[in-house]
Amino acid sequence: MQTITLAVHGGAGTILKEDMTPELEQAYYDGLNEALNAGYAVLEEGGSAVNAIKAAIVILEDNVLFNAGRGSVFTKKGLQEMDAAVMDGSTLNAGAVTGVRNVRNPIELAMEVMRNSNHVFLSGKGATDFAIKQGIKLEPDEYFFSQFRYDQWKAIRDSDTYSLDHTHQQLEELMKDKKFGTVGAVACDGDGNIAAATSTGGMTNKKYGRIGDSPVIGCGTYANNNTCAISCTGHGEMFIRSVAAYDVSCLMQYKGLSLQEAMNTVVNEKLMSIGGEGGMIGVDANGNAAMVFNSAGMYRAGRSSNGWNELSIYK
Ligand code: ASP
C-alpha cells in the first residue's frame, strides 16, 4: 500500500533551548502540530499532496510566530514583502510570487499562479493585481504588525544608517543570532504524488527588492515525482548559489543517492562549504521523509502512515 507522508518546517537557525521560555516552546509545538494535523487530514481523506501542503502552510502563515504571512518580518522600509512558491511533482507545474504585500496567504496566490495563469513567477504590484483579479484575500497593513518583529527590525534599522559595511555586519550578526522563520511543507499522497511549498517574509531589514531562495523554483522549493519534494529554510543567498533543492533531486536522479543521503550531501557538505546556514525537509514518492539542518535547530514536524512521527525544535 502507498505510504502517505507530510512534513512541515517553521524555519531553521540559531534556535537554542536556553533562549526559549516553556510557554513559547509550547506555542511553537502547538503551531507546528496544528499545521501537521490540517495537512495530514487532507491526505487521510484521499486528498492530493498539493492540497495537503496548502492546508498546512495556510495555518503557519496565519500564526504570528512564524515569518510568513501574518508574522512576516519588516523590510528596510518597515513593510512586509512576502514570497511563496509551490511545485507539483506529478506534473512539474509550479507557481511562485515575490515581494507581495497585503496578501493574507501568499501560498494561495502561488497556487493560483500555478493553476490559473500561464506563468510561473509573478512579482510585486503585478502579483497583487493578479491576486485581486482572482479574489485572493487581502488584509490591511495592521494585520501584519507584530511587536516582536517590529522590535527585531528596530534593533538593526538604526545602525544601518552609518555605512554600508556596518549594514553588512549588522545583517551578518542578525543572521547569526536570530532564526529564520520561513515555513514549508512537503507531502506524498495516496497516489504516490509528491509536492513542496515554501512561504516567507524573507529577511529582516531586507532592501533593494531583495529576493531569497524560498520562491525560486529549484533553490528553496522543488518537486518531481521521480526524485523528491524539497522545502528549504536558511540564508537564502547561499541556497540560491547552491541551487539547493534541485541539487538534492539531481543527486538522486543522476547519482542514485537516497533522499537522506542527497539531503545530507547538500546541507552538510555543499551548503556548509560556502557558509550556508539552514536546513530542508523532503519526501520521495515512496513516502520516505527526511529533515536535515546544519544550524542549532529547525522547527519541524512530520507524520507518515508507516508510523513515523516527529515534533522537534533542537538538534
Ligand atoms: N530562506 C529565507 C530567505 O532567505 C529565509 C528563511 O528561511 O527564513 O528569504
Coordinates of all heavy atoms in Angstrom, one line a residue, residues 3-9 36 184-188 194-196 222 227-233 248 252 257-268 278-294 298-304 306 308-310 312:
T3 N 2.4 4.6 1.0 CA 2.6 5.3 2.2 C 2.2 6.8 2.0 O 2.6 7.4 1.0 CB 4.0 5.3 2.7 OG1 4.4 3.9 2.8 CG2 4.3 6.0 4.0
I4 N 1.4 7.4 2.9 CA 1.2 8.8 2.9 C 2.0 9.5 3.9 O 2.2 9.0 5.0 CB -0.3 9.2 3.1 CG1 -0.9 8.7 4.4 CG2 -1.2 8.8 1.9 CD1 -2.3 9.3 4.7
T5 N 2.6 10.7 3.6 CA 3.5 11.4 4.5 C 3.4 12.9 4.3 O 3.2 13.4 3.2 CB 5.0 11.0 4.1 OG1 5.1 9.6 4.2 CG2 6.0 11.6 5.0
L6 N 3.5 13.5 5.5 CA 3.5 15.0 5.4 C 4.6 15.5 6.4 O 4.8 14.9 7.5 CB 2.2 15.6 5.9 CG 2.1 17.1 5.9 CD1 1.7 17.6 4.5 CD2 1.2 17.7 6.9
A7 N 5.4 16.5 6.0 CA 6.3 17.1 6.9 C 6.2 18.6 6.7 O 5.9 19.1 5.6 CB 7.7 16.7 6.5
V8 N 6.4 19.3 7.8 CA 6.4 20.8 7.8 C 7.6 21.3 8.5 O 8.2 20.7 9.4 CB 5.1 21.4 8.5 CG1 3.9 20.9 7.8 CG2 5.0 21.0 10.0
H9 N 8.0 22.6 8.2 CA 9.1 23.2 9.0 C 8.6 24.7 9.2 O 7.8 25.2 8.4 CB 10.4 23.2 8.3 CG 10.6 24.1 7.1 ND1 10.7 25.4 7.2 CD2 10.7 23.8 5.8 CE1 10.9 25.9 5.9 NE2 10.8 25.0 5.1
L36 N 0.4 20.4 10.9 CA 0.6 19.0 10.5 C -0.7 18.3 10.5 O -1.0 17.5 9.6 CB 1.6 18.3 11.6 CG 2.0 16.9 11.2 CD1 2.9 16.9 10.0 CD2 2.8 16.3 12.4
G184 N 7.5 25.8 5.6 CA 7.5 25.0 4.4 C 6.7 23.7 4.6 O 6.5 23.3 5.8
A185 N 6.3 23.0 3.6 CA 5.7 21.7 3.7 C 6.0 20.9 2.5 O 6.1 21.4 1.4 CB 4.2 21.9 3.9
V186 N 6.1 19.6 2.7 CA 6.2 18.6 1.6 C 5.3 17.4 1.9 O 5.1 17.1 3.1 CB 7.7 18.1 1.5 CG1 8.6 19.2 1.1 CG2 8.2 17.5 2.8
A187 N 4.8 16.8 0.9 CA 3.9 15.7 1.1 C 3.9 14.7 0.0 O 4.3 15.0 -1.1 CB 2.4 16.2 1.2
C188 N 3.6 13.4 0.4 CA 3.4 12.3 -0.5 C 2.0 11.8 -0.3 O 1.6 11.4 0.8 CB 4.4 11.2 -0.3 SG 4.2 9.8 -1.3
I194 N 3.9 13.7 -5.2 CA 4.6 14.5 -4.2 C 4.6 16.0 -4.5 O 4.4 16.3 -5.7 CB 6.0 14.0 -3.9 CG1 6.9 14.1 -5.1 CG2 6.1 12.6 -3.3 CD1 8.4 13.8 -4.9
A195 N 4.7 16.8 -3.5 CA 4.6 18.3 -3.8 C 5.4 19.0 -2.7 O 5.5 18.5 -1.6 CB 3.2 18.8 -3.8
A196 N 5.8 20.2 -3.0 CA 6.5 21.1 -2.0 C 6.0 22.5 -2.0 O 5.7 23.0 -3.1 CB 8.0 21.0 -2.3
Y222 N 11.2 22.7 -4.6 CA 11.3 21.9 -5.8 C 10.5 20.6 -5.6 O 10.5 20.0 -4.5 CB 12.7 21.5 -6.2 CG 12.8 20.8 -7.6 CD1 12.6 21.5 -8.8 CD2 13.1 19.5 -7.6 CE1 12.6 20.9 -10.0 CE2 13.1 18.8 -8.9 CZ 12.9 19.5 -10.0 OH 12.9 18.9 -11.2
T227 N 12.0 12.0 -8.1 CA 13.0 12.1 -7.1 C 12.5 12.5 -5.8 O 12.3 11.6 -4.9 CB 14.1 13.1 -7.6 OG1 13.4 14.3 -8.0 CG2 14.9 12.6 -8.8
C228 N 12.2 13.8 -5.6 CA 11.9 14.3 -4.3 C 11.1 15.6 -4.3 O 11.0 16.2 -5.4 CB 13.2 14.6 -3.5 SG 14.2 15.8 -4.4
A229 N 10.5 15.9 -3.2 CA 9.9 17.2 -2.9 C 10.6 17.9 -1.8 O 10.8 17.2 -0.7 CB 8.4 17.1 -2.6
I230 N 11.1 19.1 -2.0 CA 12.0 19.7 -1.0 C 11.5 21.1 -0.7 O 11.2 21.9 -1.6 CB 13.4 19.8 -1.6 CG1 14.0 18.5 -1.9 CG2 14.4 20.6 -0.6 CD1 14.4 17.6 -0.8
S231 N 11.5 21.5 0.6 CA 11.3 22.9 1.0 C 12.5 23.3 1.9 O 12.8 22.6 2.9 CB 10.0 23.1 1.7 OG 9.9 24.4 2.3
C232 N 13.1 24.4 1.6 CA 14.3 24.9 2.3 C 14.0 26.0 3.3 O 13.1 26.8 3.1 CB 15.4 25.3 1.4 SG 15.9 24.0 0.2
T233 N 14.9 26.2 4.2 CA 15.0 27.4 5.1 C 16.4 27.7 5.5 O 17.2 26.8 5.7 CB 14.1 27.2 6.3 OG1 14.4 28.3 7.2 CG2 14.4 25.9 7.1
V248 N 19.5 18.4 -4.7 CA 19.1 17.1 -4.0 C 18.4 16.2 -5.0 O 18.8 15.0 -5.1 CB 18.0 17.4 -2.9 CG1 17.5 16.1 -2.3 CG2 18.7 18.2 -1.8
M252 N 19.9 12.5 -6.5 CA 19.1 11.2 -6.5 C 18.9 10.7 -7.9 O 19.1 9.5 -8.2 CB 17.7 11.5 -5.9 CG 17.7 11.9 -4.5 SD 16.1 12.4 -3.8 CE 15.3 10.8 -3.8
L257 N 21.6 8.5 -5.3 CA 21.6 8.6 -3.8 C 20.2 8.5 -3.3 O 19.2 8.8 -4.0 CB 22.2 10.0 -3.4 CG 23.7 10.0 -3.0 CD1 24.5 9.5 -4.2 CD2 24.1 11.5 -2.7
S258 N 20.0 8.1 -2.0 CA 18.7 8.1 -1.4 C 18.4 9.5 -1.0 O 19.2 10.4 -1.0 CB 18.7 7.2 -0.1 OG 19.5 7.9 0.9
L259 N 17.1 9.8 -0.6 CA 16.7 11.1 -0.2 C 17.6 11.6 0.9 O 18.1 12.7 0.9 CB 15.2 11.1 0.2 CG 14.6 12.4 0.8 CD1 14.4 13.4 -0.3 CD2 13.3 12.1 1.5
Q260 N 17.7 10.8 1.9 CA 18.5 11.1 3.1 C 20.0 11.5 2.7 O 20.5 12.5 3.2 CB 18.5 10.0 4.1 CG 19.2 10.3 5.4 CD 18.4 11.2 6.4 OE1 17.2 11.0 6.7 NE2 19.0 12.3 6.9
E261 N 20.6 10.6 1.9 CA 22.0 10.8 1.5 C 22.1 12.1 0.7 O 23.0 12.9 0.9 CB 22.4 9.7 0.6 CG 22.6 8.3 1.4 CD 22.8 7.2 0.4 OE1 22.4 7.3 -0.8 OE2 23.3 6.1 0.9
A262 N 21.2 12.3 -0.2 CA 21.3 13.5 -1.0 C 21.1 14.8 -0.2 O 21.8 15.8 -0.4 CB 20.2 13.5 -2.1
M263 N 20.2 14.8 0.7 CA 19.9 16.0 1.6 C 21.1 16.2 2.5 O 21.6 17.3 2.7 CB 18.6 15.8 2.4 CG 17.4 16.0 1.5 SD 15.9 15.6 2.3 CE 15.8 16.8 3.7
N264 N 21.7 15.1 3.0 CA 22.9 15.2 3.9 C 24.0 15.9 3.1 O 24.8 16.8 3.6 CB 23.4 13.9 4.3 CG 22.6 13.4 5.5 OD1 21.9 14.1 6.2 ND2 22.7 12.1 5.8
T265 N 24.2 15.5 1.8 CA 25.3 16.0 1.0 C 25.1 17.5 0.8 O 26.1 18.3 0.9 CB 25.3 15.3 -0.4 OG1 25.5 13.9 -0.1 CG2 26.5 15.8 -1.2
V266 N 23.9 17.9 0.4 CA 23.7 19.3 0.1 C 23.8 20.2 1.4 O 24.4 21.2 1.4 CB 22.3 19.5 -0.6 CG1 22.0 21.0 -0.8 CG2 22.3 18.8 -2.0
V267 N 23.1 19.7 2.4 CA 23.1 20.6 3.6 C 24.4 20.6 4.4 O 24.9 21.6 4.8 CB 21.9 20.1 4.6 CG1 21.9 20.9 5.9 CG2 20.6 20.3 3.8
N268 N 24.9 19.4 4.6 CA 26.1 19.3 5.5 C 27.4 19.4 4.8 O 28.5 19.6 5.4 CB 26.0 18.0 6.3 CG 24.9 18.0 7.3 OD1 24.6 19.1 7.9 ND2 24.2 16.9 7.4
G278 N 21.3 26.6 7.6 CA 19.9 26.4 7.4 C 19.6 24.9 7.3 O 20.4 24.0 7.7
G279 N 18.5 24.6 6.6 CA 18.1 23.2 6.5 C 17.0 23.0 5.5 O 16.6 23.9 4.8
M280 N 16.5 21.8 5.4 CA 15.4 21.5 4.5 C 14.7 20.2 4.9 O 15.2 19.4 5.7 CB 16.0 21.3 3.1 CG 17.1 20.2 3.0 SD 17.6 19.9 1.3 CE 18.5 21.3 0.8
I281 N 13.4 20.1 4.4 CA 12.6 18.9 4.7 C 12.4 18.3 3.3 O 12.3 19.0 2.3 CB 11.3 19.2 5.4 CG1 10.5 20.2 4.7 CG2 11.6 19.6 6.8 CD1 9.1 20.4 5.3
G282 N 12.2 17.0 3.2 CA 12.0 16.4 1.9 C 11.2 15.1 2.1 O 11.2 14.4 3.1
V283 N 10.5 14.7 1.0 CA 9.9 13.4 0.9 C 10.2 12.8 -0.5 O 10.5 13.6 -1.4 CB 8.3 13.4 1.0 CG1 7.9 13.9 2.4 CG2 7.7 14.3 0.0
D284 N 10.1 11.5 -0.7 CA 10.1 10.9 -2.0 C 8.8 10.3 -2.3 O 7.9 10.3 -1.4 CB 11.3 10.0 -2.2 CG 11.2 8.7 -1.3 OD1 10.1 8.4 -0.8 OD2 12.3 8.1 -1.0
A285 N 8.6 9.7 -3.5 CA 7.3 9.1 -3.9 C 7.0 7.8 -3.2 O 5.9 7.3 -3.4 CB 7.3 9.0 -5.4
N286 N 7.9 7.3 -2.4 CA 7.6 6.1 -1.6 C 7.1 6.5 -0.2 O 6.9 5.6 0.6 CB 8.8 5.2 -1.5 CG 9.2 4.5 -2.8 OD1 8.3 4.1 -3.6 ND2 10.5 4.5 -3.1
G287 N 7.1 7.8 0.0 CA 6.6 8.3 1.3 C 7.7 8.4 2.3 O 7.5 8.6 3.5
N288 N 9.0 8.2 1.9 CA 10.1 8.4 2.8 C 10.3 9.9 3.1 O 10.1 10.7 2.2 CB 11.4 7.8 2.3 CG 11.4 6.3 2.0 OD1 11.1 5.6 2.9 ND2 11.7 5.9 0.8
A289 N 10.7 10.2 4.3 CA 10.9 11.6 4.6 C 12.2 11.8 5.3 O 12.8 10.9 5.9 CB 9.8 12.1 5.6
A290 N 12.7 13.0 5.2 CA 14.0 13.4 5.9 C 13.9 14.9 6.2 O 13.3 15.7 5.6 CB 15.2 13.1 5.0
M291 N 14.6 15.2 7.3 CA 14.7 16.6 7.8 C 16.1 16.8 8.2 O 16.6 16.2 9.1 CB 13.8 16.8 9.0 CG 12.3 16.4 8.7 SD 11.3 16.4 10.2 CE 10.0 17.4 9.7
V292 N 16.8 17.7 7.5 CA 18.3 17.8 7.7 C 18.6 19.3 7.9 O 18.1 20.1 7.1 CB 19.1 17.3 6.5 CG1 20.6 17.4 6.7 CG2 18.7 15.8 6.3
F293 N 19.4 19.6 8.9 CA 19.8 21.1 9.0 C 21.2 21.1 9.6 O 21.6 20.2 10.3 CB 18.8 21.8 9.9 CG 18.5 21.2 11.2 CD1 19.1 21.6 12.4 CD2 17.6 20.1 11.3 CE1 18.8 21.0 13.6 CE2 17.3 19.5 12.5 CZ 17.9 20.0 13.7
N294 N 21.9 22.2 9.3 CA 23.2 22.4 9.9 C 23.3 23.5 10.9 O 24.4 23.9 11.3 CB 24.2 22.6 8.7 CG 23.9 23.9 7.9 OD1 23.4 24.8 8.5 ND2 24.2 23.9 6.6
M298 N 15.8 23.6 14.0 CA 14.8 23.8 13.0 C 13.5 23.4 13.5 O 13.3 22.2 14.0 CB 15.2 23.0 11.7 CG 14.2 23.2 10.5 SD 14.8 22.6 8.9 CE 14.6 20.8 9.1
Y299 N 12.5 24.3 13.5 CA 11.2 23.9 13.9 C 10.6 22.9 12.8 O 10.6 23.2 11.7 CB 10.3 25.2 13.9 CG 10.7 26.3 14.8 CD1 11.3 27.4 14.4 CD2 10.6 26.1 16.2 CE1 11.7 28.4 15.2 CE2 11.0 27.1 17.1 CZ 11.6 28.2 16.6 OH 12.0 29.2 17.5
R300 N 10.2 21.8 13.3 CA 9.8 20.8 12.3 C 8.9 19.7 12.9 O 8.9 19.5 14.1 CB 11.1 20.1 11.8 CG 11.9 19.4 12.9 CD 13.3 19.1 12.5 NE 14.1 18.2 13.4 CZ 14.6 18.7 14.5 NH1 14.6 20.0 14.9 NH2 15.3 17.9 15.3
A301 N 8.1 19.2 12.0 CA 7.1 18.1 12.4 C 6.8 17.3 11.2 O 6.9 17.7 10.1 CB 5.9 18.7 13.0
G302 N 6.6 16.0 11.5 CA 6.2 15.1 10.3 C 5.4 13.9 10.8 O 5.5 13.5 12.0
R303 N 4.7 13.3 9.9 CA 3.9 12.1 10.2 C 3.7 11.3 8.9 O 3.7 11.9 7.8 CB 2.5 12.5 10.7 CG 1.7 11.4 11.2 CD 0.4 11.9 11.7 NE 0.6 12.9 12.8 CZ -0.3 13.9 13.1 NH1 -1.4 14.0 12.5 NH2 0.0 14.7 14.1
S304 N 3.7 10.0 9.1 CA 3.6 9.1 8.0 C 2.7 7.9 8.3 O 2.7 7.5 9.5 CB 5.0 8.7 7.5 OG 4.9 7.7 6.5
N306 N 3.5 5.1 7.7 CA 4.4 4.0 8.1 C 4.8 4.0 9.6 O 5.6 3.3 10.0 CB 5.6 3.9 7.2 CG 6.5 5.1 7.4 OD1 6.4 5.8 8.4 ND2 7.4 5.3 6.4
W308 N 6.0 6.8 11.2 CA 6.9 7.9 11.6 C 6.1 9.1 12.2 O 5.1 9.5 11.6 CB 7.6 8.4 10.3 CG 8.5 9.6 10.5 CD1 9.6 9.6 11.3 CD2 8.4 10.8 9.8 NE1 10.2 10.9 11.2 CE2 9.5 11.6 10.3 CE3 7.6 11.3 8.9 CZ2 9.7 12.9 9.9 CZ3 7.8 12.6 8.4 CH2 8.8 13.4 8.9
N309 N 6.6 9.6 13.3 CA 6.0 10.8 13.9 C 7.1 11.6 14.5 O 7.9 11.1 15.3 CB 5.1 10.3 15.1 CG 3.7 10.7 14.8 OD1 3.4 11.8 14.6 ND2 2.8 9.7 14.9
E310 N 7.2 12.9 14.2 CA 8.2 13.7 14.8 C 7.7 15.1 15.0 O 6.9 15.7 14.3 CB 9.4 13.8 13.8 CG 10.5 14.6 14.4 CD 11.9 14.4 13.7 OE1 12.0 13.4 13.0 OE2 12.8 15.2 13.9
S312 N 9.8 18.4 16.7 CA 11.1 18.8 17.3 C 11.5 20.2 17.0 O 11.0 20.7 15.9 CB 12.2 17.8 17.0 OG 11.8 16.6 16.6

